[in-house]
Amino acid sequence: TQLIVHKENPDMFDILVYLFENYHDPSGQLRTSQRYEWCQEGIPSQMDNPLMYDADYVTWGFPRWPQLLAKGQVIAGDVKYFPPSEREALEAQGIVSLLALPIFAHDRWYGFVGFDVCDAPRTWHRIEIELLRAAADTIAQLIERRQAEKRLRLTQFSIDHASDAVLWIGPDARIL
């Protein structure tokens, strides 16, 4: 990953943005995969990087991330101050500073949205973190809406294609 400083304003950083989704593999192990990415023109995409898919946080070198992010905590700062396994993995990708914010959908930790800076150390200010946390909450609402629409389409398909009567029993044991 390579990011470029804005030539008009050397204090402005270009940032690589991505979204990771958590899931459990068949053995129950928590894993994560990159689902979306935004790169400025000229910045190589990581979407084809196999390290960004089906990653186990511990093997990946990020054992503390699930504990912190699942509690709603933010991971931010200059990579040189991160634990050795994280620092090694991030520096190998050319990342100097990062911000990772948890995303919660349906009251569960869905994954995280991240912002990488690769050209210079960067301090993330509280107001920036809170603004980006609001963006992460908006992403969570979109995920919840998409999942609800998918369930609705599946239910409608089931009803439309049923050859016999459909009996639905609600959570309170009422027949619907």
Side-chain angles (χ1 to χ4, degrees), residues 90-131:
L90 295 167
E91 287 176 346
Q93 296 178 56
I95 300 168
V96 178
S97 299
L98 73 76
L99 170 63
L101 298 127
I103 296 174
F104 288 89
H106 300 291
D107 297 325
R108 76 170 184 90
W109 177 43
Y110 173 87
F112 65 94
V113 61
F115 304 84
D116 292 346
V117 177
C118 297
D119 55 358
R122 184 185 196 298
T123 300
W124 296 93
H125 300 285
R126 187 175 51 84
I127 191 77
E128 294 171 312
I129 293 170
E130 292 310 312
L131 176 66

Side-chain angles (χ1 to χ4, degrees), residues 9-94:
N9 184 351
D11 295 327
M12 180 73 77
F13 297 91
D14 287 331
I15 297 175
L16 175 66
V17 181
Y18 46 85
L19 184 131
F20 277 77
E21 178 184 12
N22 294 330
Y23 55 94
H24 289 88
D25 67 17
S27 73
Q29 177 70 37
L30 177 65
R31 303 186 87 73
T32 193
S33 285
Q34 182 172 318
R35 296 295 182 224
Y36 302 98
E37 175 186 83
W38 175 84
C39 298
Q40 182 173 349
E41 186 176 330
I43 299 172
S45 171
Q46 294 296 305
M47 291 301 290
D48 294 330
N49 183 344
L51 296 175
M52 302 298 125
Y53 296 93
D54 199 33
D56 164 19
Y57 283 95
V58 175
T59 305
W60 206 21
F62 300 88
R64 71 183 181 125
W65 285 41
Q67 297 144 4
L68 296 175
L69 293 169
K71 292 178 186 173
Q73 296 179 17
V74 171
I75 297 170
D78 188 332
V79 168
K80 71 181 176 186
Y81 300 115
F82 281 33
S85 65
E86 293 175 23
R87 186 174 56 246
E88 182 181 324
L90 295 167
E91 287 176 346
Q93 296 178 56

